[in-house]
Amino acid sequence: IYQLELLLVISTHEMSRSRTSRQTRPRNWFWRLGEDKPQSLSEDIHKFSQWMSPTKEEEDMRERVKKYYTQCICEFLGSSSRPVVFGSSATGLFSPLSDVDIVVLDAPAYDTDLLFSLAQHFERNSNVLDKSIRVISEARVPLIKFIDKESNLNIDICFGQHATVRTT
C-alpha cells in the first residue's frame, strides 16, 4: 500500500510540474516502473538514490539558472547588492523537483514595494514563464515566486533573511 501511495503522490506531483529537465531521464521516470522487484531493500534504496541523483545536465542547468537570476538581481538593484542562493540548491542536496531559493541580503526584509518592482523587472526582462510570477507580500517572509521558462525550475526570492544563509 505504501509503495502505491508513493507512486500516486509522485506521479501526481510530477505531472503537475512537467519539468523539461526530466526529459533527460528515462521515459519510465519512476525508478522501479517496468522492472522486476528488487532482490533486497538495499538494492531498492540504491536504485532510488540513483534515480534521485541529478544528472550532469540538470546540475549544469541549475547552475546557469542560479547565475542568470543573481545577475538579473544585481542589474536591477545595483552591483553592490548581494543575492545569495541558499537551501538545497546551495548545498547540492537538491532533488530533481527542488526549487531554487535566493535571498538578497542587503535589501530590507519587508520592503514589498521593492518586491513588486523586482517582479515587474523579471516579467519584462527575463526568462520568466508567462503568468507564473507571483508576489506573496502577506507571508511571514514576503517573496517572489516564478518559474524559469528555459528550465521549468521554480524560483523563490526573498529579501534580508540572513538566517536562511546561516541555516544552510
Side-chain angles (χ1 to χ4, degrees), residues 83-150:
V84 176
V85 176
F86 68 96
S88 62
S89 291
T91 62
L93 298 174
F94 57 89
S95 76
L97 302 175
S98 296
D99 62 359
V100 175
D101 299 303
I102 301 173
V103 60
V104 183
L105 293 177
D106 57 348
Y110 300 100
D111 189 345
T112 55
D113 291 337
L114 189 57
L115 275 175
F116 281 104
S117 297
L118 183 58
Q120 288 174 347
H121 174 73
F122 282 142
E123 281 182 318
R124 288 189 305 266
N125 303 315
S126 68
N127 279 349
V128 173
L129 189 67
D130 294 336
K131 299 185 187 204
S132 72
I133 197 159
R134 294 181 302 154
V135 176
I136 304 174
S137 58
E138 296 83 26
R140 187 176 65 79
V141 177
L143 59 109
I144 303 170
K145 295 179 79 64
F146 58 90
I147 300 172
D148 178 68
K149 194 183 301 184
E150 180 182 325

Side-chain angles (χ1 to χ4, degrees), residues 59-109:
E59 288 175 344
D60 292 343
M61 174 191 55
R62 193 170 285 267
E63 283 302 313
R64 282 192 305 272
V65 167
K66 292 186 317 190
K67 185 176 181 179
Y68 176 77
Y69 286 104
T70 54
Q71 286 177 344
C72 283
I73 292 168
C74 287
E75 287 172 10
F76 181 75
L77 296 175
S79 59
S80 63
S81 64
R82 292 185 356 204
V84 176
V85 176
F86 68 96
S88 62
S89 291
T91 62
L93 298 174
F94 57 89
S95 76
L97 302 175
S98 296
D99 62 359
V100 175
D101 299 303
I102 301 173
V103 60
V104 183
L105 293 177
D106 57 348

